[in-house]
Amino acid sequence: MIDNIKPKEATSIINSLVSGVVPKIGVQHITVGRSEEVNAFIGSLEDVKNGLSLVKFWIGDFGSGKSFMLHLLNTVALKQKFVVANADFTPDNRLYANDGKSVILYSAIMDNISIQTKPEGGALQTLLEKWIEQVIAKTAEENHISLMEIRTDQYLNLIQNSIMKTVNEITEVGGFDFGSAIVKYYEGYIKGDELLRRNALKWLKGEYTTKTEARQDLGIREIINDSNYYDMLKNFCKLFVSMGYSGFMINLDEAINLYKISVSASREKNYEKILSIYNDCFQGKVSNLFINFAGTKEFLENERRGLFSYQALKSRLEGNRFETSEFRDFAQPVIKLMPLNHNEIFVLLKKLKYIFDYNYKTELNISDEEISTFMEEMFNKPGAAEFLTPREVIRDFLNILNIIRQNPEVDKTRLFGEIEITDERPNDLILLDSIEEL
């Protein structure tokens, strides 16, 4: 039923879904009902690979599969040789700030950089060293020096100059400091100075909080801050493309946290930043960059707090009025994720049963008819139509499988009957919604 699943993927899928979160790896094995979205996305990746830049907004209710969709997009993009990074918006980070909250978001993005050989993140160091090796090889060839000889102290300045020259060719704003940090990384890399290498990486990840500290450690006078972090992301995008990667895709989840910013002026500044990024991408001011936002319908359409409260964004993000649930338009910036239908959920649960058995090396006695009975119990419960989400269906199903695995004599019908439906939205959002209605 499922081909080529690895034990590590199976464990990740089961453990993550039982915990109510999306697995970092293996999501392609549990994908159902999203083929149209994925095919359209592959077309968008081709455009970005060819030098365009795009912004997409993935909109759906809580538990409808937004985070899952982003993880699926990761898997597809990594296979297309993109560098991918993920970060969640939280109350402590945002796109626009003057108190360090934007740099926190930037650092989260840099921490989570992934490539196909490191799909779980932490690939920045690997990429830097790969790029440095490319510069070394090119410089050695141009100067007719052997690869072994050029790594000695004698040619340190030559390589440093090559790094700065290459960085200057591909970067714009902040390129000198960006290049200086990479030069320091190279110096630590060649001399085996782990502290210097770590400090250079610390600078590139936006983890210095004062210019004084950066100057003492590295001799660099500037640091990555709330006002220049986006320029640094664009610099990294150019660096990755110069290495031969297709582009840089950044996924930003939990955008509802921007909607929840209580100070309207601050919230508006964040929406202004989204507009700036949107215009950059669609007006050709940046190449090979793909940014995805995932958020709820309120985050997009609420006219008092959502993106539609900012007129310039509303005019750009209003949906195609000719679109229906039957005739979709995946070319527009906003993709609304339709709920999975009952047949798709049934297929998903069958896949999960297979992965569960594979993971625990068992063969649980639960038939297709019993899976259907479980679904009927869930979907017929009071509140199901309003609050039931795929996340809750999956979690309850796996929890029941765990009970059956450890207690084979249990009455499955009784377990199905004990299912309860709850409103999974965060309490602060329910409160916000009730205030909006007043």
Side-chain angles (χ1 to χ4, degrees):
M1 185 181 179
I2 294 174
D3 296 327
N4 304 321
I5 188 166
K6 299 179 179 71
K8 186 178 179 183
E9 290 175 323
T11 303
S12 173
I13 288 168
I14 299 303
N15 288 350
S16 297
L17 293 178
V18 166
S19 305
V21 298
V22 179
K24 273 197 166 184
I25 55 171
V27 288
Q28 70 273 20
H29 298 301
I30 51 171
T31 302
V32 293
R34 297 295 186 209
S35 57
E36 287 183 315
E37 288 93 333
V38 170
N39 289 337
F41 174 72
I42 290 170
S44 297
L45 284 178
E46 279 300 314
D47 291 339
V48 176
K49 204 184 285 188
N50 292 329
L52 297 179
S53 289
L54 292 175
V55 178
K56 292 279 186 186
F57 297 83
W58 301 85
I59 301 299
D61 294 329
F62 277 99
S64 64
K66 298 181 299 299
S67 300
F68 178 87
M69 195 70 209
L70 290 190
H71 281 71
L72 179 59
L73 301 186
N74 282 357
T75 304
V76 175
L78 288 171
K79 285 181 180 172
Q80 299 282 336
K81 212 183 174 189
F82 275 76
V83 177
V84 173
N86 305 279
D88 289 352
F89 288 112
T90 72
D92 297 319
N93 71 35
R94 54 192 60 172
L95 287 167
Y96 175 90
N98 49 26
D99 58 357
K101 286 183 177 173
S102 295
V103 178
I104 293 171
L105 177 66
Y106 169 86
S107 296
I109 291 169
M110 301 316 294
D111 266 339
N112 286 296
I113 281 183
S114 304
I115 51 178
Q116 193 165 13
T117 53
K118 291 195 82 168
E120 295 177 70
L124 179 59
Q125 196 167 336
T126 306
L127 285 164
L128 279 176
E129 290 173 10
K130 183 177 178 181
W131 184 78
I132 286 169
E133 287 295 336
Q134 289 180 355
V135 173
I136 291 171
K138 186 182 176 190
T139 309
E141 186 182 344
E142 288 173 350
N143 291 275
H144 309 292
I145 304 166
S146 75
L147 278 173
M148 187 173 289
E149 191 181 356
I150 204 164
R151 295 171 185 275
T152 60
D153 284 353
Q154 180 186 350
Y155 294 106
L156 183 63
N157 284 343
L158 179 64
I159 296 293
Q160 288 174 331
N161 290 338
S162 291
I163 288 172
M164 287 306 293
K165 179 174 177 285
T166 310
V167 168
N168 286 337
E169 285 169 1
I170 62 173
T171 61
E172 293 166 19
V173 181
F176 179 79
D177 297 316
F178 183 75
S180 299
I182 297 176
V183 162
K184 288 294 179 185
Y185 187 90
Y186 170 73
E187 200 178 311
Y189 177 67
I190 288 297
K191 293 182 174 179
D193 185 337
E194 188 56 37
L195 180 61
L196 183 58
R197 191 163 60 162
R198 205 161 53 236
N199 285 340
L201 200 61
K202 179 180 174 181
W203 190 96
L204 289 164
K205 287 166 71 174
E207 293 171 356
Y208 275 103
T209 53
T210 68
K211 294 179 182 181
T212 305
E213 192 185 0
R215 192 163 65 246
Q216 284 171 350
D217 289 353
L218 298 165
I220 299 175
R221 294 181 175 276
E222 290 296 328
I223 58 172
I224 297 173
N225 55 41
D226 286 337
S227 60
N228 67 12
Y229 79 93
Y230 175 55
D231 294 317
M232 293 302 165
L233 289 175
K234 291 190 283 186
N235 286 340
F236 269 114
C237 181
K238 289 173 181 174
L239 187 76
F240 299 150
V241 172
S242 79
M243 293 171 65
Y245 284 93
S246 302
F248 188 17
M249 185 174 87
I250 301 170
N251 294 333
L252 299 170
D253 201 356
E254 304 294 345
I256 192 68
N257 280 298
L258 299 182
Y259 170 94
K260 291 194 284 191
I261 295 172
S262 56
V263 180
S264 59
S266 179
R267 195 167 59 243
E268 192 166 294
K269 284 285 188 186
N270 276 271
Y271 292 166
E272 198 176 294
K273 189 66 179 177
I274 291 177
L275 176 66
S276 169
I277 293 169
Y278 182 98
N279 288 343
D280 262 10
C281 290
F282 285 104
Q283 290 173 356
K285 292 178 183 174
V286 57
S287 300
N288 306 101
L289 184 62
F290 198 156
I291 299 185
N292 293 293
F293 293 91
T296 61
K297 188 178 176 184
E298 289 87 354
F299 160 69
L300 176 72
E301 295 179 3
N302 187 292
E303 303 229 352
R304 288 179 63 183
R305 303 181 70 100
L307 295 181
F308 281 12
S309 68
Y310 195 78
Q311 191 56 42
L313 278 173
K314 183 181 179 184
S315 63
R316 287 162 173 77
L317 301 181
E318 280 186 311
N320 183 338
R321 62 193 179 90
F322 301 104
E323 183 181 41
T324 65
S325 57
E326 185 182 359
F327 302 108
R328 305 292 308 281
D329 174 14
F330 296 110
Q332 58 189 333
V334 173
I335 309 293
K336 291 186 177 173
L337 293 173
M338 298 295 156
L340 297 178
N341 63 39
H342 287 196
N343 286 338
E344 290 164 343
I345 290 175
F346 177 77
V347 171
L348 173 59
L349 296 183
K350 279 195 68 171
K351 287 186 175 206
L352 289 173
K353 159 73 166 59
Y354 175 90
I355 294 168
F356 187 94
D357 284 344
Y358 178 81
N359 183 59
Y360 287 109
K361 298 179 175 59
T362 186
E363 184 95 30
L364 291 189
N365 179 26
I366 181 165
S367 65
D368 287 359
E369 289 72 23
E370 285 171 323
I371 293 175
S372 295
T373 303
F374 162 79
M375 286 178 59
E376 283 171 21
E377 285 286 352
M378 285 217 81
F379 288 105
N380 289 329
K381 288 285 181 184
E386 189 175 0
F387 299 126
L388 188 60
T389 65
R391 179 192 296 161
E392 197 170 352
V393 175
I394 289 166
R395 196 165 51 204
D396 277 1
F397 182 68
L398 291 176
N399 283 338
I400 284 174
L401 293 189
N402 263 319
I403 293 292
I404 295 170
R405 177 176 68 88
Q406 297 167 77
N407 306 273
E409 73 289 349
V410 73
D411 181 350
K412 284 174 270 190
T413 309
R414 182 179 63 77
L415 286 179
F416 298 161
E418 290 173 0
I419 292 166
E420 291 182 2
I421 307 299
T422 55
D423 185 351
E424 288 215 328
R425 291 176 302 165
N427 290 333
D428 54 352
L429 189 67
I430 296 169
L431 181 62
L432 266 177
D433 284 353
S434 62
I435 291 170
E436 292 292 337
E437 289 166 8
L438 292 177

